[in-house]
Amino acid sequence: MQMYSESDVDTSCLADSQITILGYGSQGRAHALNLKDSGFNVVVGLRKSGASWAKAEADGLVVMEPNDSVKTAKIVMFLTPDMVQKSLYESVVDDIDTGATLMFAHGFAVHYKQIEARSDLNVALIAPKGPGGLVRRQYEEGHGVPCLVAVDQDASGDALKIALAYSAGIGGARAGVIETTFAEETETDLFGEQAVLCGGATELIVAGFETLVEAGYQPEVAYYEVMHELKLIVDLLHEGGLRKMHKFISDTAAWGDMISGPRVVDESSRAAMKGILTDIQDGTFARNWIAENQNGMPEFKRKMQADLDHPIEKVGADLRSHMDWLED
Ligand code: NAD
Ligand code: MG
C-alpha cells in the first residue's frame, strides 16, 4: 500500500495554472471552494441555464460556460453526475488545451469506457472518501477527507504529481492519499455504496422497523431504535473501529451483537454480496444503469418514490421536527 501525505506533495506544478471544475453540486462546490482557499486559480464550468450558476457566482467564483471554461485550463475536473460525463466530454473535448489533465472523483466513466480520452491528455483520479459537504467542512476546520489517487493515462509523465497537488488543494493530503487504479476505485466504490453504505444499511433499517411495527410495537419507538440511534454507533465506528464501539456499548449489547449479528448477515447475505460484486466487475451493473438513464429513468423514479413513501419517512419527519437543531 502506497500512502502520500502533505509532505510528499509539491504543489508548485500547479502554480499560476487554471483548474476548471465542471459541475457545482455536492463535490463540485467543495472542491472549487477548497482549491480557491488554498490559493489556486479556479474556474467553474456550468450551463448558464442551470440552477448552480447563480450559486457559484454568489460563492465568489469565476463561472463560465463549459466550452469557455476549459480553454486555458491545466486541469479539467469532471464533477457532474457520472451519467452525463460522456456527453459533456464530447461537447468540450475540442476546446481542451493540448497536454491538459482530465480528472475525476469517481472512475465510472473512464473504467467503463464511456470516455476514451485524447492521447495527449493525462487522465487521473482523486476520489474523496466522503460526501462533498464533509470535504468542505473538514477543510474549513483544518482537517481533510482521505482520498484515493489513480492515473489511467500519463501523457506528460507527471500526472501523479499533478493529481497529488490537486488532492492537497482540497485538503485530502492532510488525511492521507492512497494509490489505487481506476478499476479498484470504481469497483470498490460501487460495491460499498450498494452492499453496505447505502443499499445494505437502509435495507437493514427498514427491515428492522417493519419487524418491530408488524409485531405491534409503536412506530415512533421503532424509529428511534433502528434509525435515530444508528448515528451514535456509526460515530463510534468511524472514530475508533469495533474496539471503540465495544468500549461504549453495554455488555448486554455486545453479547447480543456477537450472537445475533451473524444470524442477520449469514451465508446467504454473503452470497448476495458476491453476486453484487460480480455484476459490478463484469459490467452488468454499469450496462443496466446506463440503459436506465437512456430510457428516462422510469425504474429509478418508481423505486425512489417507494422509498420516500415508506411509513418510516412519515414517522421520522414528525419526530425530527421536535429536534430543530438537526439539519434537514
Ligand atoms: P451532483 O449531482 O451533486 O452535482 C452535479 C452538478 O453537475 C450540478 O451542479 C449540475 O448542475 C451539474 N451538471 C449537470 N449536468 C451538467 C452539464 N451537462 N454541464 C455542466 N454541468 C452539469 O454530483 P456529485 O454527487 O457531486 O457527483 C459528482 C462526481 O463526484 C461523480 O463522479 C460522483 O461519482 C463523484 N463523487 C460523489 C460523491 C458524493 O458524495 N456525492 C462522493 C465521491 C465521488
Ligand atoms: Mg463512495
Side-chain angles (χ1 to χ4, degrees):
M1 195 270 292
Q2 173 70 53
M3 185 190 275
Y4 301 96
S5 50
E6 258 186 329
S7 58
D8 302 314
V9 180
D10 172 13
T11 54
S12 64
C13 59
L14 295 185
D16 307 318
S17 307
Q18 181 191 321
I19 302 176
T20 288
I21 305 293
L22 295 174
Y24 201 68
S26 172
Q27 291 290 329
R29 179 170 189 275
H31 290 221
L33 292 176
N34 291 3
L35 288 162
K36 179 170 171 266
D37 290 348
S38 293
F40 294 109
N41 171 12
V42 177
V43 171
V44 179
L46 291 172
R47 297 159 299 178
K48 191 127 206 189
S49 56
S52 308
W53 183 290
K55 197 166 180 219
E57 260 185 359
D59 285 339
L61 291 154
V62 178
V63 191
M64 299 180 193
E65 289 277 357
N67 291 79
D68 296 326
S69 75
V70 302
K71 279 179 182 149
T72 53
K74 175 160 176 154
I75 290 180
V76 179
M77 178 53 135
F78 284 79
L79 293 177
T80 63
D82 296 300
M83 291 300 122
V84 310
Q85 291 180 4
K86 175 184 163 68
S87 59
L88 182 60
Y89 171 74
E90 286 165 357
S91 71
V92 297
V93 60
D94 292 340
D95 291 312
I96 297 176
D97 207 4
T98 307
T101 299
L102 304 185
M103 289 191 58
F104 299 85
H106 175 43
F108 192 103
V110 172
H111 179 56
Y112 293 114
K113 304 217 179 319
Q114 297 272 288
I115 293 177
E116 295 187 79
R118 240 170 49 198
S119 61
D120 63 290
L121 302 172
N122 293 325
V123 179
L125 172 96
I126 288 293
K129 293 285 99 183
L134 195 63
V135 172
R136 179 59 181 158
R137 196 160 70 242
Q138 291 265 355
Y139 179 89
E140 289 179 304
E141 290 168 359
H143 309 136
V145 167
C147 294
L148 301 183
V149 63
V151 173
D152 186 66
Q153 185 164 292
D154 193 5
S156 68
D158 62 354
L160 179 64
K161 203 172 151 193
I162 292 169
L164 287 173
Y166 183 101
S167 78
I170 63 169
R174 293 169 179 167
V177 183
I178 293 180
E179 194 163 346
T180 183
T181 60
F182 271 65
E184 184 177 63
E185 186 281 331
T186 305
E187 291 168 6
T188 56
D189 192 73
L190 293 172
F191 177 81
E193 65 202 17
Q194 291 177 30
V196 181
L197 305 176
C198 309
T202 57
E203 211 56 35
L204 194 65
I205 291 167
V206 169
F209 178 82
E210 288 176 354
T211 301
L212 288 174
V213 172
E214 279 165 22
Y217 297 101
Q218 297 181 74
E220 291 79 7
V221 173
Y223 171 85
Y224 281 148
E225 199 52 54
V226 303
M227 178 118 50
H228 180 84
E229 279 203 62
L230 188 62
K231 174 165 169 40
L232 315 175
I233 300 301
V234 169
D235 283 349
L236 293 171
L237 294 170
H238 182 87
E239 291 160 12
L242 297 177
R243 178 179 300 276
K244 181 158 185 185
M245 183 197 74
H246 278 309
K247 195 165 161 215
F248 282 86
I249 64 177
S250 68
D251 284 352
T252 308
W255 173 241
D257 158 347
M258 293 181 288
I259 65 157
S260 298
R263 291 174 67 181
V264 177
V265 180
D266 60 5
E267 280 312 313
S268 71
S269 313
R270 286 166 195 274
M273 284 189 176
K274 286 206 179 81
I276 290 166
L277 186 57
T278 302
D279 284 353
I280 291 167
Q281 289 170 328
D282 70 14
T284 304
F285 170 78
R287 247 188 335 275
N288 291 342
W289 175 221
I290 291 164
E292 172 72 5
N293 274 268
Q294 287 166 346
N295 292 338
M297 307 222 279
E299 281 295 292
F300 181 94
K301 289 175 192 156
R302 196 181 58 72
K303 289 180 190 297
M304 178 74 79
Q305 198 55 50
D307 260 9
L308 302 181
D309 290 343
H310 192 280
I312 199 171
E313 281 295 283
K314 169 88 179 68
V315 177
D318 290 347
L319 291 174
R320 289 192 299 271
S321 73
H322 295 273
M323 298 177 274
D324 58 10
W325 55 89
L326 296 180
E327 276 180 52
D328 190 12

